[in-house]
Amino acid sequence: MSSPEQRDEVEMLSLMLLIRRFEERASQQYQAQKIGGFCHLYIGQEAVVVGAIAAIRPEDYLITAYRDHAHALARGTSADACMAELFGKVTGCSRGLGGSMHYFDKARHMYGGHAIVGAHVPLGVGMAFASKYRGEDRVTLCFFGDGAINQGSFHEALNLAALYKLPIIFICENNLFAMGTSVERSTSLQQIVHRAEGYDIPGHVVDGMNFRDVRDQLTEIVNSIRANPHPAFVEIRTYRYRGHSMSDPASYRTKDQLEKYRMDDPITRLRAQLTREGKLTNEQFDAMDKGAKETALASVKFAEESEEPPLEDLYAYTYVSEATVPTAAGAQA
Amino acid sequence: MREITYRLALNEALAEELERDPNVFLMGEEVAQYNGAYKVSQGLLDRFGPQRIIDTPISENGFAGMGVGAAMVGLRPIIEFMTFSFSLVAFDQVVNNAPNMLTMSGGQFNIPITFRGPNGPAHQLGATHSHATECLYANFPGLKICTPATPRDAKGLLKTAVRDDNPVLVLESELLYSSKGPVEPIEQELLIPLGQAELKREGRDVTIICYAQTVPLALAAAEALEEEEISAEVLDLRSIKPLDLPAILTSVAKTHRVVVVEQDRPYCGIGAEICFRIQNDIFDELDAPIARVSQEDVPMPYNERLEQAVLPSAEKLIAAVKKICYA
Ligand SMILES: Cc1ncc(C[n+]2csc(CCOP(=O)(O)OP(=O)(O)O)c2C)c(N)n1
Ligand SMILES: [Mg+2]
């Protein structure tokens, strides 16, 4: 039988499968015009957030940009609540008011879902400030893309975090492109991780197609931060298989590049590792995959059958009122 | 006259001004190799090269400021914001540096810069991506603001903006990029002055004042109202600042009833300013209180039904017109 840690890895593989199947369904539903606005898929990057989640506790803080479906699913938000949000339904994780780019789940310490590039990086620093202020040993994971590192807010945030020695991991999901702009065309540095040096923040490079590398490196960093609060910077090298958003044909990159990364697929890789080590059979994998597909399909049905937010919701959340005191679930957890 | 899209009209304006003046350049996210997030700059990189059509990192505050600095020493930048919701990251450059410089330097430094891009809600983009910024920017002396609603106005106003010696914001509309309309032949120079409204439809009973995305709403409402024997005049402001007050007053003096339909929010919105001006100058001409149709005063929800409830619509406009006509 497998040890707890090994069982964990199978669970994490199962989570990666759920994320992928969920997004494949989302993509299909977008094309069927059941989903509006912008919709950015994470397919190819699953090992990044799942590896990170495997390294932290449920009560640690997590904040990310607009490519956020996977981050919510990884935190434990249900596929139903995630799909319903895409459909704009009241059962969605943001009551249908946020949409694809603005997933929130306070009870599970998912602090968004933020669509202005770079704007949430200082928020992550503020969350880390609060946990140090209260003497807690929580760590904040702040995810952002390679495109965000040229925003002023990013630079101000890094300096503040270093200055106040705050327990935060800046996680740059370097998928080589910000929309159609490759990293070489946006950034003067050869390597993104060198950004950290200028702020005296320790920097690490991680293979984002390899779940184990992500989990192991982040575990070490998290342990170091819990022992003694400080910021860290991690450049995780990864790739998105799809276009920037549903409307982007991604003609700025080559088929060869895409194929190269697909050959190194994070799900296939972890599956192979586990199979080789005798921890996973083909039957088990197939059953997990079938389960993920069923969950994704069921989430579409759930979303379709859910209610729209009532018209009274229009003014309900502009200011705090007695009727709308935020659900306290996550506040003290 | 030929019919072209609003998008192509803007593209022609950019190309003609780049052609005419070597000091003009275009800078912004995805404007060059990607041909623009909304394809407004299609083909310009091929035609004018990377020295003049410049892709930037996602650094709005940085490149908007670069534009202002380059303008201080003689260039005439056109800065594209992928949308004006992102111009808020560069707010300080647009409202503090660009329009104040002339005064602060005692008249030494004017800033001939154009900030352009889509503005206003598009479709289900949520709270952060749906801002109508005209009322924010209108509050700053030194800025000029135009809001073209047709391909012809898009071309003529953008060309004028580039030639203006002051900072000008050209607030385009994502929802209008694919709309078509008549525009003068390409060999004919088309310049439309800032501060000139245009009567898009004549009427007797009520004046509908509109701009940008609310112009098609106003025209649709006017048509529907005709069937109910209400003759509505539709006045497209085209520029928010300077404002064509004489055109507004002339129309109101003729119809004696006014509805302002704006794409921004009600609190301190464009309509509030217009209401003040009308009652201040020609109070006696009014036969009914001035009505306003705007967004609801809430952050934009993602859900489609709620978003529609927030936005101005032809139905809301018709109801407002009827209310003041039967008042
Ligand atoms: C301030 C701001 N400017 C521009 C945009 C438009 N935009 C959305 S995503 C994006 C690219 C971001 O790329 P990256 O940070 O690498 O994240 P990825 O999409 O690769 O996950 C751009 C330019 C925005 N949302 N906010
Ligand atoms: Mg990227």
Side-chain angles (χ1 to χ4, degrees):
Chain A
M1 276 316 296
S2 48
S3 72
E5 189 196 297
Q6 289 157 349
R7 205 184 56 232
D8 250 345
E9 286 195 326
V10 174
E11 246 172 56
M12 294 294 108
L13 178 62
S14 162
L15 182 54
M16 283 162 68
L17 276 167
L18 173 64
I19 291 167
R20 179 150 315 172
R21 300 310 177 207
F22 174 88
E23 290 215 306
E24 287 167 353
R25 277 288 163 205
S27 162
Q28 184 200 43
Q29 294 301 308
Y30 191 93
Q31 269 143 3
Q33 298 187 334
K34 294 289 177 64
I35 298 170
F38 291 137
C39 182
H40 308 84
L41 300 182
Y42 196 68
I43 295 176
Q45 299 183 208
E46 293 91 343
V48 178
V49 75
V50 175
I53 283 295
I56 61 167
R57 300 174 184 158
E59 69 273 19
D60 286 325
Y61 294 150
L62 186 152
I63 188 167
T64 187
Y66 47 85
R67 200 180 293 285
D68 58 353
H69 308 159
H71 299 73
L73 289 167
R75 283 255 94 167
T77 308
S78 71
D80 284 356
C82 288
M83 192 63 80
E85 189 58 35
L86 297 179
F87 278 59
K89 297 299 180 75
V90 72
T91 49
C93 57
S94 303
R95 287 184 72 88
L97 303 179
S100 166
M101 304 193 289
H102 307 113
Y103 275 20
F104 289 85
D105 189 344
K106 190 173 184 180
R108 295 178 183 82
H109 298 290
M110 162 64 178
Y111 295 91
H114 297 272
I116 296 297
V117 171
H120 68 289
V121 185
L123 306 190
V125 175
M127 289 158 44
F129 171 82
S131 42
K132 185 170 178 186
Y133 184 86
R134 292 192 292 239
E136 301 164 349
D137 69 348
R138 288 188 221 238
V139 172
T140 295
L141 299 188
C142 178
F143 293 82
F144 47 86
D146 46 280
I149 66 165
N150 300 308
Q151 281 289 37
S153 58
F154 165 87
H155 289 269
E156 296 178 26
L158 259 67
N159 182 55
L160 288 163
L163 188 66
Y164 302 135
K165 302 198 171 40
L166 301 178
I168 181 168
I169 309 181
F170 297 104
I171 301 179
C172 180
E173 299 197 49
N174 178 7
N175 59 11
L176 309 184
F177 288 92
M179 260 183 200
T181 304
S182 63
V183 173
E184 313 79 90
R185 295 206 301 120
S186 71
T187 303
S188 60
L189 292 170
Q190 293 288 315
Q191 296 207 32
I192 286 177
V193 68
H194 292 156
R195 274 276 188 270
E197 263 172 37
Y199 298 98
D200 234 351
I201 294 176
H204 312 260
V205 176
V206 173
D207 176 2
M209 307 311 266
N210 185 348
F211 164 82
R212 287 178 174 173
D213 193 35
V214 179
R215 179 199 55 195
D216 295 346
Q217 289 214 50
L218 281 177
T219 301
E220 210 169 296
I221 296 165
V222 166
N223 289 340
S224 148
I225 292 177
R226 286 207 214 281
N228 175 32
H230 65 84
F233 186 98
V234 185
E235 176 192 345
I236 303 194
R237 298 196 177 149
T238 181
Y239 202 73
R240 61 166 156 76
Y241 296 173
R242 304 293 186 94
H244 167 72
S245 67
M246 291 299 298
S247 58
D248 169 30
S251 44
Y252 41 82
R253 58 186 199 186
T254 63
K255 271 220 167 65
D256 286 355
Q257 188 183 50
L258 175 59
E259 271 321 300
K260 187 186 124 203
Y261 282 95
R262 271 182 188 283
M263 296 302 289
D264 195 18
D265 183 75
I267 292 177
T268 312
R269 164 128 41 140
L270 182 56
R271 176 190 180 177
Q273 286 164 334
L274 290 169
T275 308
R276 204 180 314 121
E277 294 159 10
K279 294 167 185 161
L280 180 73
T281 64
N282 285 339
E283 291 69 39
Q284 277 173 316
F285 180 84
D286 291 343
M288 270 179 357
D289 195 24
K290 187 157 169 276
K293 284 178 179 159
E294 283 166 4
T295 306
L297 188 59
S299 76
V300 172
K301 185 159 185 286
F302 174 82
E304 266 171 350
E305 289 170 359
S306 291
E307 299 290 325
E308 307 244 353
L311 278 176
E312 304 84 74
D313 267 16
L314 212 53
Y315 276 88
Y317 302 101
T318 305
Y319 296 98
V320 179
S321 71
E322 262 163 56
T324 63
V325 172
T327 43
Q332 283 86 30
Chain B
M1 220 183 294
R2 71 195 174 119
E3 295 233 330
I4 62 171
T5 62
Y6 186 101
R7 172 184 289 111
L8 181 59
L10 291 165
N11 181 271
E12 285 184 6
L14 291 171
E16 289 174 21
E17 294 310 297
L18 283 155
E19 191 66 61
R20 184 185 57 79
D21 183 350
N23 286 322
V24 173
F25 67 95
L26 173 69
M27 184 174 222
E29 292 157 20
E30 308 289 353
V31 298
Q33 289 193 19
Y34 200 74
N35 288 301
Y38 298 99
K39 305 297 169 204
V40 170
S41 52
Q42 184 92 46
L44 296 182
L45 174 65
D46 285 347
R47 187 157 159 204
F48 297 100
Q51 201 193 332
R52 300 183 66 200
I53 310 297
I54 302 153
D55 276 329
T56 65
I58 308 168
S59 307
E60 287 86 358
N61 188 42
F63 65 75
M66 274 180 71
V68 176
M72 288 179 78
V73 292
L75 297 186
R76 303 185 76 89
I78 303 173
I79 301 297
E80 174 173 315
F81 291 119
M82 195 176 276
T83 85
F84 266 87
S85 285
F86 310 150
S87 78
L88 301 179
V89 175
F91 199 60
D92 186 55
Q93 295 298 345
V94 181
V95 306
N96 229 345
N97 279 342
N100 286 345
M101 206 70 77
L102 189 61
T103 298
M104 290 190 304
S105 66
Q108 294 179 76
F109 289 103
N110 66 308
I111 309 296
I113 193 169
T114 304
F115 296 106
R116 53 155 290 272
N119 171 62
H123 189 214
Q124 282 198 275
L125 300 186
T128 56
H129 279 46
S130 302
H131 291 288
T133 61
E134 59 271 23
C135 52
L136 304 180
Y137 290 119
N139 199 242
F140 290 91
L143 294 179
K144 295 185 181 182
I145 301 164
C146 61
T147 52
T150 65
R152 182 172 185 276
D153 291 344
K155 181 169 182 184
L157 287 168
L158 176 53
K159 282 170 62 81
T160 302
V162 175
R163 297 183 193 195
D164 200 290
D165 284 330
N166 299 285
V168 182
L169 276 58
V170 182
L171 305 181
E172 302 159 7
S173 291
E174 183 186 335
L175 298 179
L176 297 176
Y177 278 144
S178 296
S179 65
K180 281 191 160 181
V183 178
E184 280 79 347
I186 196 148
E187 55 287 350
Q188 195 175 320
E189 185 87 289
L190 175 63
L191 292 165
I192 295 174
L194 298 172
Q196 258 185 28
E198 188 179 66
L199 214 49
K200 290 278 198 280
R201 180 189 171 111
E202 286 201 53
R204 296 177 312 273
D205 302 327
V206 60
T207 299
I208 300 175
I209 297 176
C210 54
Y211 62 91
Q213 289 178 184
T214 64
V215 176
L217 291 188
L219 290 169
E223 197 153 311
L225 285 163
E226 193 163 83
E227 277 165 32
E228 310 201 26
E229 314 218 321
I230 296 177
S231 161
E233 178 143 302
V234 175
L235 185 67
D236 174 2
L237 293 175
R238 300 202 291 189
S239 294
I240 299 292
K241 200 175 191 179
L243 184 68
D244 191 349
L245 191 58
I248 294 172
L249 299 181
T250 303
S251 177
V252 175
K254 174 175 154 198
T255 63
H256 310 292
R257 287 183 165 83
V258 196
V259 181
V260 184
V261 55
E262 59 201 291
Q263 64 176 10
D264 61 0
R265 299 184 183 112
Y267 203 97
C268 299
I270 297 301
E273 178 68 23
I274 293 169
C275 290
F276 167 75
R277 304 268 186 131
I278 294 170
Q279 64 80 35
N280 188 62
D281 287 18
I282 52 168
F283 182 75
D284 291 343
E285 293 284 355
L286 289 172
D287 285 350
I290 303 171
R292 284 172 72 196
V293 177
S294 69
Q295 287 187 40
E296 294 293 314
D297 198 13
V298 297
M300 188 65 80
Y302 163 72
N303 172 273
E304 189 172 24
R305 188 172 66 131
L306 292 191
E307 181 178 57
Q308 288 309 313
V310 169
L311 294 173
S313 66
E315 293 70 43
K316 291 180 188 175
L317 179 55
I318 289 168
V321 168
K322 285 186 183 169
K323 194 166 164 216
I324 61 161
C325 282
Y326 301 135

